């Protein structure tokens, strides 16, 4: 089946640093979504992207829908301790079941105060 | 407040017993989903329903069953046929209609432990 490659798998950064993570696929995607999950909780939707080249911000978070439609990037600026968690990318690909998402395996972010 | 509720938060069962996980939403969403999450893994789709009284198997449906008798509710039964049922189970819903039909919103999850 379809798979998303999300990298890096984990990141250990200092508070105040910027963070960048990405997801790639072998298929063209129609939609890219980014979620954050904290331990023992459900994922929370951060940003949704629907158009190739689209750049969308949510506070200190910025995500982009790659121009090839096969990748997406999430950047977090000036990280703070509460940014800790696992960030998942998800998307729906052309030809997939309507509304169904494929999820990456996540990037675990640790922030040192 | 609109949202998705899952109960209970933690569930313990003996091997060989069926168990039903609850999922309720008051977002007026048409579509609902069940996912399984194992440590270090992404989310894997168990079942989904795009409309009342209809549901489809996901990637790992074996050993699970669902019903969708009401728009607000999508319970998941983990049967004794599921070989490795211990996991974190997540329910989600989405509007089901364009243009935002793919934005899925998740409940808080139920951690099931079977011994």
């Amino acid at each position: 089946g379809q798979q998303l490659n999300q990298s890096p798998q984990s990141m250990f950064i200092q508070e105040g640093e910027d963070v960048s993570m990405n997801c790639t696929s072998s298929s063209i995607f129609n939609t890219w979504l980014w979620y954050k999950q904290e331990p023992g909780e459900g994922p929370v939707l951060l940003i949704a992207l629907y158009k190739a080249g689209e750049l969308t911000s949510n506070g200190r978070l910025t995500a982009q829908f790659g121009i090839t439609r096969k990748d997406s990037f999430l950047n977090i600026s000036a990280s703070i301790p509460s940014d800790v968690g696992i960030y998942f990318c998800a998307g729906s690909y052309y030809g997939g079941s309507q509304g169904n998402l494929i999820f990456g395996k996540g990037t675990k972010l640790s922030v040192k105060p | 407040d609109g949202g998705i509720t899952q109960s209970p938060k933690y569930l313990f069962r003996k091997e060989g017993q069926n168990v039903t996980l609850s999922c309720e939403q008051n977002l007026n969403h048409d579509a609902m989903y069940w996912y399984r999450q194992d440590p270090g893994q992404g989310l894997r789709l168990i079942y989904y329903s795009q409309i009342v009284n209809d549901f489809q198997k996901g990637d790992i449906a074996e050993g699970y069953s669902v019903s969708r008798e009401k728009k607000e509710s999508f319970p998941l039964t983990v049967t004794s046929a599921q070989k490795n049922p211990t996991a974190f189970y997540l329910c989600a819903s989405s509007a089901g209609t364009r243009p935002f039909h793919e934005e899925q919103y998740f409940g808080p999850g139920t951690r099931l432990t079977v011994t």
Side-chain angles (χ1 to χ4, degrees):
Chain A
Q2 294 294 325
Q3 287 189 338
L4 290 181
N5 295 312
Q6 187 171 351
S7 65
Q9 196 172 0
S10 62
M11 302 182 74
F12 298 86
I13 63 170
Q14 198 78 26
E15 183 177 358
E17 290 182 356
D18 295 344
V19 172
S20 186
M21 59 190 78
N22 70 84
C23 268
T24 60
S25 74
S26 56
S27 301
I28 291 174
F29 272 52
N30 296 322
T31 305
W32 286 99
L33 305 172
W34 284 92
Y35 289 87
K36 177 188 178 185
Q37 185 177 29
E38 298 186 15
E41 300 296 329
V44 174
L45 180 63
L46 299 174
I47 294 178
L49 303 159
Y50 287 95
K51 295 180 183 177
E54 182 180 358
L55 186 71
T56 297
S57 293
N58 178 5
R60 292 178 296 105
L61 279 62
T62 301
Q64 184 163 24
F65 193 140
I67 198 71
T68 65
R69 297 175 66 186
K70 292 185 178 182
D71 57 10
S72 179
F73 304 87
L74 176 70
N75 294 317
I76 305 173
S77 62
S79 59
I80 58 178
S82 62
D83 289 334
V84 165
I86 301 177
Y87 292 80
F88 290 99
C89 63
S92 67
Y93 62 94
Y94 183 78
S97 299
Q98 179 179 328
N100 286 5
L101 300 176
I102 307 296
F103 284 82
K105 293 190 176 182
T107 294
K108 185 175 182 179
L109 179 63
S110 301
V111 180
K112 186 176 180 181
Chain B
D1 285 336
I4 303 174
T5 57
Q6 292 185 243
S7 60
K9 182 68 173 175
Y10 300 95
L11 194 51
F12 298 88
R13 279 294 183 270
K14 295 287 189 185
E15 195 173 319
Q17 292 179 336
N18 291 354
V19 59
T20 297
L21 281 59
S22 166
C23 178
E24 304 277 332
Q25 56 99 358
N26 61 3
L27 299 168
N28 199 33
H29 283 172
D30 286 317
M32 297 186 74
Y33 309 81
W34 274 106
Y35 292 90
R36 171 184 172 132
Q37 186 176 34
D38 294 286
Q41 300 294 315
L43 280 64
R44 292 185 290 168
L45 182 64
I46 305 173
Y47 268 98
Y48 64 100
S49 167
Q50 294 184 330
I51 197 168
V52 174
N53 292 323
D54 186 51
F55 49 82
Q56 307 294 329
K57 292 182 179 180
D59 300 320
I60 55 166
E62 186 177 349
Y64 300 98
S65 66
V66 293
S67 63
R68 186 86 187 278
E69 296 176 2
K70 298 187 299 182
K71 187 175 184 177
E72 310 81 45
S73 179
F74 191 39
L76 173 74
T77 297
V78 184
T79 76
S80 56
Q82 168 51 231
K83 290 183 172 54
N84 186 18
T86 295
F88 190 48
Y89 290 88
L90 288 159
C91 178
S93 70
S94 67
T97 56
R98 292 183 183 274
F100 306 116
H101 62 288
E102 289 161 334
E103 293 179 18
Q104 293 186 17
Y105 295 87
F106 286 84
T110 292
R111 185 166 299 281
L112 173 65
T113 303
V114 177
T115 57

